[in-house]
Amino acid sequence: MPEFNVWAVLVAALSGFVLGGLWYSPVLFGKAWQRETGLSDEVLARGNMALIFGTAFVLCVIASLVFAMFLGPRPSLALGLGAGFSAGLCWVSASFGINYLFERKSLKLFLINGGYHTLQFTLIGLVLALWPDARAG
């Protein structure tokens, strides 16, 4: 069984979740994202926010947990940052790019979503690398 620190995973997940809240807020890219997706304030307001946010957090935990297992129990700072940046940019964002080309989605939407996931995984890698003892649970 791969070693990972539950607390480090939860903090990494929470950091990515909070980053998403800020990234997609009107303070940063929320309005541009909304225009590019064609989602009105009314449509967004009709969503089940408890379900949406709860599921998003669970998915952040899953991403952080699997990334922690990928990095191993004591990743160096260089590994955490480098692998996080690479995973976000080259796996997640590149995969979005493929879909967005066929779906005819805008470059702006690609940059907003790809930028978030690049920073999200970089942040997850940073938290996992800086955690005092990734083997303690």
Side-chain angles (χ1 to χ4, degrees):
M1 180 91 180
E3 293 182 44
F4 63 91
N5 182 303
V6 172
W7 295 109
V9 166
L10 290 174
V11 170
L14 184 61
S15 68
F17 184 76
V18 169
L19 173 66
L22 181 61
W23 193 266
Y24 291 100
S25 76
V27 174
L28 289 179
F29 305 107
K31 290 298 178 185
W33 170 82
Q34 206 174 335
R35 276 191 308 277
E36 294 303 308
T37 60
L39 294 170
S40 67
D41 288 336
E42 295 76 29
V43 169
L44 291 176
R46 286 195 306 260
N48 181 339
M49 299 316 286
L51 178 64
I52 291 168
F53 281 98
T55 305
F57 182 70
V58 168
L59 293 170
C60 283
V61 170
I62 292 168
S64 297
L65 172 63
V66 173
F67 201 61
M69 291 189 294
F70 174 78
L71 291 177
R74 301 191 112 181
S76 67
L77 182 59
L79 177 61
L81 288 173
F85 181 81
S86 297
L89 182 67
C90 301
W91 289 338
V92 179
S93 296
S95 295
F96 275 173
I98 293 166
N99 288 66
Y100 284 21
L101 287 169
F102 286 98
E103 294 170 359
R104 311 307 196 268
K105 291 186 180 177
S106 72
L107 176 61
K108 185 181 281 187
L109 184 61
F110 169 74
L111 293 172
I112 291 169
N113 290 333
Y116 164 67
H117 288 291
T118 299
L119 195 54
Q120 175 198 26
F121 274 93
T122 303
L123 186 58
I124 290 170
L126 175 68
V127 170
L128 296 173
L130 291 178
W131 202 263
D133 183 6
R135 292 182 293 176

